[in-house]
Structures are given as C-alpha cells and as structure tokens.
Amino acid sequence: MRRLGSARYARADRTAGGQGLRGGGAPATGARASARPAGLVPDPRGTPFTFWYALVLLGTSLYARYGDPATVSALLHGSSTDVAHLATVPLLVLLASALWVAGGLASPYALGLVLVLTALERRVGGLRAAAVFLAGHVTATLATEIPVGLWVAAGRLPETSLHRLDYGISFGLLASVGALTALFRPLPRAAVLAGVSALLLLDLYAYEDPLSNWGHPLALLTGLAGGPLVRRWAHSREEQRRRESQEQA
C-alpha cells in the first residue's frame, strides 16, 4: 500500500526554482445503511455531496491524464496552495486545490475518499460532511504553509519555497477519517486509528516531503477534535429520521 504522502502532491516548483448512540457507536440506521453493499457507494439522493464531488474528481483526473499537458500544468500551478497564492488568492486556491487527485484515478486514496465521505455523509448529512472535509483541508494547509512564509521572510529558506506545487485531497480525507471514527465503537475505532497512525509514522520516518508529512497528522487530529460535534450531528440526524418515520407511519 502506498504511503499517505503520495496522496497529496507537494514539491518545490522547479520551473520557479434504529437505536441512539451507545458507547460512541454510530446510529443504528446509518450503520445498517452502510453495511449493505449499496450503502458503501454514493448516490445523488442519499449522499449528494459525495456523489457530485466524486464526479468532479473523476472529471479533473481524466483531464489531467488525457488533456493538453501545458494546459494541465498551468491549471495545477494555478490551483497550488503555495505561500504566494495563499497571500494573494487564498479562497480560490484553497478550493481549487481540492479539485485534483494527486496520482489521479490510480491513487487508492481516491477510492478511500469516496468510501469515507459516503459513510460520513450518511450519518451527518452533506453540508456537515463537507464542513469536516474543508476544515481538515484548510487547517492542515495553513498550518504547513504559513511557517514556510515565515522561514522565507527570516532568510532560512529560499524564495523558491514560496512557489511549491501543492494540491490534493489527502488532508480532507484524513480529517474525514478522524471524524468518522468518532462514530465507531471503541475497538474498531482503535484499530482504524492504529492503522492510519502507523502509515503516518512511516511517512514521517521517510521524511520525503516534510510539509505533507506533518500536515497529515494535523488533518487527522482536526477530524478527531471534531468528534464530539460529529456525534451530536449524527444523533440529531438519527432523531430526525425517527420522527419522519413515525409521521409517515
């Protein structure tokens, strides 16, 4: 399995230089829905955010593979969350950088994102799932890029560091994983977090891309920090489903 560092593209730009929640478990209705094979994939009615976002990622991945190389390169550079772009067009690049999958459709993290976001959206709803993803994406990006700007200003890094090519979905994915585990029972939660943490430690040991290597744990911690809120969201959504079911009966 490829390390998480490969899920996010970041390098120096060479051209520039049923029951309620119990014990932290998921709501029964959401758990049953995701346990069925059809519940593992997004659909436009049940999980509209994940469904349409996955289609966008599919489109950009196909274009990155088969489109004009010069145009693709220009779009990727324009979407990069490097310090130079964050200082001038922060909102644009924070959103645009999440529209590309590093490694394209061949990346296992593209599938991972679809599965994790589908499960999370079924439990908390589309807007809340999107909020979790964006919180991890934005928090980890700023936490890793702002120090670069400070180090360049202090003369400890060259100015080419302001133009790193940095884009991808891995920060948002890891935040979503952290948030989703808050809805698991203790044993599955510990198993998932242990596996993910092991991958992150391997990345840190390899230290091939320090910013992404440190950004991934920060993104995971962002999702974990939102765990109590995610559980309340899931409980509220389950109560709403129960009331609607009673009214229809």
Side-chain angles (χ1 to χ4, degrees):
M1 186 172 182
R2 294 168 60 189
R3 292 195 297 271
L4 280 172
S6 62
R8 183 177 183 87
Y9 188 94
R11 64 169 175 80
D13 184 357
R14 295 178 182 176
T15 61
Q19 300 225 348
L21 293 174
R22 285 190 305 164
T29 301
R32 285 195 299 267
S34 346
R36 295 192 298 267
L40 298 176
V41 295
D43 65 87
R45 293 189 62 185
T47 55
F49 166 67
T50 306
F51 180 83
W52 293 111
Y53 184 37
L55 284 184
V56 170
L57 292 176
L58 174 63
T60 57
S61 296
L62 290 174
Y63 187 76
R65 182 176 179 86
Y66 299 108
D68 174 62
T71 304
V72 170
S73 177
L75 288 172
L76 293 178
H77 281 79
S79 302
S80 174
T81 49
D82 55 38
V83 176
H85 281 137
L86 288 173
T88 54
V89 284
L91 292 180
L92 174 62
V93 294
L94 283 170
L95 292 176
S97 63
L99 300 180
W100 303 90
V101 180
L105 298 178
S107 170
Y109 301 99
L111 176 60
L113 180 73
V114 171
L115 294 176
V116 170
L117 274 185
T118 297
L120 184 62
E121 184 172 358
R122 289 196 188 282
R123 289 162 170 80
V124 303
L127 290 179
R128 290 165 175 172
V132 169
F133 179 89
L134 286 174
H137 178 69
V138 172
T139 300
T141 296
L142 295 180
T144 51
E145 291 292 348
I146 288 177
V148 172
L150 296 176
W151 291 334
V152 170
R156 302 187 64 179
L157 284 176
E159 289 192 6
T160 53
S161 300
L162 300 176
H163 303 279
R164 287 166 38 86
L165 183 57
D166 192 5
Y167 63 88
I169 59 174
S170 62
F171 289 167
L173 168 59
L174 281 162
S176 301
V177 169
L180 183 61
T181 60
L183 304 177
F184 292 174
R185 295 187 182 278
L187 187 58
R189 180 189 310 150
V192 170
L193 291 178
V196 173
S197 297
L199 291 176
L200 297 181
L201 288 174
L202 287 174
D203 265 357
L204 287 171
Y205 179 76
Y207 218 57
E208 294 175 352
D209 183 355
L211 291 192
S212 289
N213 292 157
W214 284 109
H216 289 143
L218 289 173
L220 180 64
L221 289 174
T222 299
L224 290 172
L229 180 60
V230 169
R231 282 192 289 268
R232 287 198 295 271
W233 285 346
H235 181 75
S236 173
R237 186 172 175 84
E238 179 65 14
E239 288 296 323
Q240 181 182 356
R241 284 171 171 164
R242 185 178 294 110
R243 287 194 300 269
E244 292 175 350
S245 177
Q246 291 173 348
E247 291 173 358
Q248 292 175 359

